[in-house]
């Protein structure tokens, strides 16, 4: 079974803090993704990575950065957290390369609250 | 831009009845559609997928229908059970830069 784990289930941070969300997958997947999920808006892609040290912006990258130093780990960084970044953050991974993607395997999510 | 949406935000069905959850899309170049189930407090899980060269695909108790003429996708769950209560949403995937998710339908199974 593919396992995608996220470092925290719940996180509360103050405005202006730097926040790190970690994601680890154990199936040697090439592609990894970070999404945020908000009521009525569905899943929105923040960043994705198709290889170590490679990253591409998704639909809403502003205010975020990512790091992929190892194949199994993909980190999402909020440089200076703001209240509008309060959300559920989901990490996902897939095996395929840059072509047609297969289904994604999701982590359990991190519910981040910025006060 | 791409629009992948669901017709109804909520759906309630009696246990044992069939459920139908719908999704519409606007981009005809879609290659691949996936349905996910997301239970409360958990990440989404893959249910079933269908490629754009197919009209129908069946799994265990689930069927996905793709109507390319009207750009409509549906998920049918047979004999709905309490464990089927969750949010269901569709994804359109063509490449890593062409991922679009619907906002989800909350399915509630009534006893």
């Amino acid at each position: 079974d593919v396992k995608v784990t996220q470092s925290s289930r719940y996180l509360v941070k103050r405005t202006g803090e730097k926040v790190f969300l970690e994601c680890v997958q154990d199936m040697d997947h090439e592609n990894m993704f970070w999404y945020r999920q908000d009521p009525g808006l569905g899943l929105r892609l923040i960043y994705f990575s198709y290889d170590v040290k490679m990253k591409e912006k998704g639909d809403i990258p502003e205010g975020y950065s990512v790091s992929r130093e190892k194949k199994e780990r993909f980190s999402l960084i909020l440089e200076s957290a703001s209240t509008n970044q309060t959300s559920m953050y989901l990490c996902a991974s897939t095996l395929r390369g840059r072509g047609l993607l297969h289904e994604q395997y999701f982590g359990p999510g991190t519910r981040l609250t910025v006060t | 831009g791409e629009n992948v949406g669901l017709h109804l935000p909520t759906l309630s069905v009696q246990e044992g009845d069939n459920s139908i959850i719908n999704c519409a899309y606007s981009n005809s170049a879609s290659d691949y559609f996936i349905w996910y189930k997301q239970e409360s407090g958990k990440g989404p899980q893959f249910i079933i997928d269908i490629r754009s060269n197919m009209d129908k695909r069946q799994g265990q108790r689930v069927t996905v229908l793709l109507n390319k003429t009207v750009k409509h996708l549906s998920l049918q769950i047979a004999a709905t059970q309490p464990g089927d209560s969750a949010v269901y949403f569709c994804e359109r995937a063509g490449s890593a830069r062409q991922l679009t998710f619907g906002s989800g339908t909350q399915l509630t199974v009534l006893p």
Side-chain angles (χ1 to χ4, degrees):
Chain A
D1 267 0
V2 176
K3 274 274 177 59
V4 180
T5 57
Q6 295 182 227
S7 52
S8 305
R9 293 300 305 273
Y10 300 94
L11 212 51
V12 179
K13 295 291 182 181
R14 293 191 182 277
T15 301
E17 279 193 81
K18 191 169 185 176
V19 183
F20 293 87
L21 302 182
E22 305 285 341
C23 176
V24 177
Q25 49 92 5
D26 65 358
M27 285 300 291
D28 203 34
H29 282 180
E30 297 161 335
N31 299 324
M32 296 188 75
F33 306 82
W34 274 106
Y35 298 91
R36 63 178 285 176
Q37 185 177 35
D38 300 289
L41 297 178
L43 287 168
R44 292 182 291 166
L45 182 62
I46 305 171
Y47 267 97
F48 67 96
S49 169
Y50 51 86
D51 203 350
V52 175
K53 297 193 185 295
M54 307 300 284
K55 60 184 179 183
E56 286 198 28
K57 293 179 180 179
D59 299 319
I60 51 164
E62 296 78 20
Y64 303 95
S65 62
V66 290
S67 172
R68 189 145 182 222
E69 296 296 319
K70 294 184 178 181
K71 193 174 185 179
E72 67 271 17
R73 187 180 298 269
F74 192 34
S75 303
L76 180 70
I77 303 150
L78 286 66
E79 296 291 342
S80 178
S82 63
T83 54
N84 63 13
Q85 291 178 309
T86 292
S87 186
M88 169 70 85
Y89 289 88
L90 288 162
C91 175
S93 70
T94 68
L95 178 62
R96 297 291 188 256
R98 297 184 70 184
L100 184 65
L101 297 177
H102 212 280
E103 75 273 15
Q104 299 185 58
Y105 294 86
F106 286 88
T110 296
R111 185 163 293 282
L112 172 68
T113 302
V114 182
T115 61
Chain B
E2 173 67 50
N3 179 37
V4 177
L6 293 166
H7 293 311
L8 293 172
T10 62
L11 175 66
S12 296
V13 297
Q14 291 292 137
E15 182 177 352
D17 286 353
N18 297 335
S19 304
I20 299 176
I21 301 169
N22 298 304
C23 195
Y25 63 96
S26 58
N27 189 329
S28 298
S30 302
D31 296 312
Y32 183 52
F33 297 89
I34 307 164
W35 279 100
Y36 293 92
K37 173 185 179 183
Q38 186 174 20
E39 296 175 272
S40 180
K42 297 182 179 180
Q45 284 188 300
F46 169 86
I47 303 173
I48 192 168
D49 58 2
I50 188 167
R51 305 209 176 256
S52 56
N53 61 354
M54 302 169 69
D55 297 323
K56 180 180 180 179
R57 189 155 190 227
Q58 284 185 291
Q60 189 176 18
R61 283 202 306 119
V62 294
T63 301
V64 57
L65 299 176
L66 177 61
N67 185 330
K68 294 180 282 294
T69 303
V70 296
K71 299 178 186 175
H72 182 268
L73 186 73
S74 69
L75 175 71
Q76 301 179 2
I77 305 172
T80 313
Q81 302 169 0
D84 295 328
S85 291
V87 174
Y88 292 82
F89 56 90
C90 58
E91 176 196 358
R92 183 194 75 79
S95 70
R97 289 298 281 128
Q98 297 176 358
L99 300 175
T100 310
F101 291 85
S103 56
T105 292
Q106 172 70 59
L107 174 65
T108 301
V109 181
L110 305 172

